[in-house]
Amino acid sequence: MDDTGHDVLAGVGPRLRDLRRRRGATLDQLAAETALTASTLSRLETGKLRPTLEQLLPLARAHGVPLDDLVQAPPTGDPRIHLRPVRHRGLVFVALTRRGGGVQAFKVVYPPAAASPTTALQTHEGYEWFYVLDGRVRLVLDDTEHLLDPGEVVEFDTGTPHWIGSADDRPAETLALFSLQGEHAHLGRGAPRAGHDG
């Protein structure tokens, strides 16, 4: 392996450790997500073990980052974002950002009101912001209901019991910003990220 390839692989360990710590995951939790042992993960993070493709693929999925981010592949010069819609709990999420940790942007498509998978209020740590792109959105905060039209924006503490969905017989679309806790609440750990083509 040439010096460039060795340098690329040498930088993978610290990136893996940083991604895991930003998610607040332990080695044991990550082992359960990836089917790799905690010992193997520790050796990868400290650079005592050179990563293989078979190890990097489940790690990229668990951390919700493109494989290129783990190895810091050189840029291809193509700035396009590759959007990957994901269905989860009856909703469609399209990740619009690709960095690990912090606030993430998603397009969220809610099914018509009659097809909503649940109307139960939920709470979780963090905050949420969304802008209504299309359709009519029904937002319930505690015991107060808000009907929102395209162009309206809301922001709220997600510690308040809340529910979001379409207000009528059409799908509703929002542009949403989730904190890390909100992302985990909506999509679970290892949520998808947008990626660059190329």
Side-chain angles (χ1 to χ4, degrees), residues 98-112:
R98 64 190 301 263
R99 60 192 173 79
V103 174
Q104 303 294 340
F106 289 85
K107 179 179 179 181
V108 184
V109 182
Y110 297 91

Side-chain angles (χ1 to χ4, degrees), residues 83-168:
L83 304 178
R84 299 180 184 98
V86 172
R87 289 190 175 278
H88 188 70
R89 297 182 184 163
L91 309 181
V92 176
F93 295 85
V94 182
L96 303 175
T97 49
R98 64 190 301 263
R99 60 192 173 79
V103 174
Q104 303 294 340
F106 289 85
K107 179 179 179 181
V108 184
V109 182
Y110 297 91
S116 179
T118 180
T119 56
L121 301 183
Q122 64 170 327
T123 61
H124 52 85
E125 291 182 44
Y127 75 92
E128 190 167 328
W129 173 101
F130 70 83
Y131 172 91
V132 182
L133 293 168
D134 193 38
R136 198 160 201 229
V137 172
R138 178 175 171 241
L139 167 66
V140 180
L141 285 174
D142 221 350
D143 57 359
T144 305
E145 180 177 309
H146 305 273
L147 296 178
L148 307 164
D149 293 311
E152 293 194 272
V153 180
V154 297
E155 182 176 21
F156 59 94
D157 181 336
T158 53
T160 303
H162 62 281
W163 179 87
I164 306 165
S166 173
D168 53 35

